[in-house]
Amino acid sequence: LFPLKSSLKGQVKGATPGLMAVLHAPKAWGWTRQVTLSSGAFSFDSLPPGRYRLVVGNKVVPDLVLTGENQVQLTTIDLTEGRRSVVRGVIATSAGAAQKGITVLLRREGVILAQIKTADDGSYRFANLGPGVYTIEVVGLGQVGGSITLDGDREHVANIGWPSSSPTGTIQGR
């Protein structure tokens, strides 16, 4: 017989609703426990001794040693780390006239991640972006910024020139 008195507790910063913490027991046992985070907190109780692995979102905490009698409180797991990139800019004519209320789309791998309208000064801003390659599309102009590579920490400025006259087009057909 072995004691079942260990516990593992922690807090997660940047947790999304419904996110789960999954505790993997030693491979020989082949079981897992999972809990849905409550206000970013998780707790596993009544654990036997062994080396565990915890997975929360994209973070893995390996080699958690429990004795069967100890209580382990982990430091805060930060899921926002690496999601601090910003893409921002201004849409204006060559004469400097700001274009307010213009719809700007942010795409990643062809999927629309966000859509905003420019402010009174023609500015737009997409924040909390992770690493990856993004494109910017402006309604009425199409794709205006492609292959914007972000590392999850830095900012990218993409100012966009608006044509002096409104974009026009012709659709013909039968």
Side-chain angles (χ1 to χ4, degrees):
L1 296 178
F2 48 85
L4 298 169
K5 298 178 186 174
S6 282
S7 68
L8 176 66
K9 299 176 194 261
Q11 186 72 31
V12 179
K13 180 180 175 185
T16 57
L19 184 66
M20 302 191 89
V22 180
L23 183 65
H24 296 265
K27 284 188 178 188
W29 299 347
W31 56 262
T32 62
R33 284 193 193 170
Q34 57 189 23
V35 295
T36 302
L37 300 178
S38 174
S39 299
F42 64 88
S43 178
F44 295 97
D45 297 310
S46 304
L47 298 169
R51 285 189 182 275
Y52 293 82
R53 178 172 52 99
L54 178 71
V55 178
V56 181
N58 63 350
K59 298 288 184 178
V60 177
V61 182
D63 295 326
L64 294 167
V65 178
L66 301 178
T67 65
E69 305 248 351
N70 62 341
Q71 282 75 47
V72 176
Q73 175 70 43
L74 296 175
T75 59
T76 300
I77 298 170
D78 188 357
L79 296 181
T80 62
E81 185 176 296
R83 294 190 53 83
R84 293 186 290 252
S85 281
V86 172
V87 173
R88 68 176 178 84
V90 174
I91 299 178
T93 64
S94 58
Q99 300 300 299
K100 72 176 188 174
I102 303 296
T103 302
V104 183
L105 306 170
L106 180 71
R107 293 182 184 262
R108 182 172 177 186
E109 297 175 9
V111 176
I112 296 174
L113 295 180
Q115 174 179 320
I116 59 172
K117 292 200 178 276
T118 55
D120 289 344
D121 63 355
S123 66
Y124 68 92
R125 185 175 191 270
F126 298 103
N128 300 323
L129 303 172
V133 179
Y134 297 82
T135 58
I136 297 173
E137 184 177 312
V138 174
V139 173
L141 292 180
Q143 184 175 322
V144 293
S147 298
I148 299 169
T149 303
L150 301 176
D151 63 3
D153 288 318
R154 295 200 178 102
E155 178 177 76
H156 180 85
V157 177
N159 293 323
I160 300 165
W162 189 261
S164 298
S165 61
S166 297
T168 59
T170 304
I171 297 176
Q172 295 179 335
R174 290 185 160 215

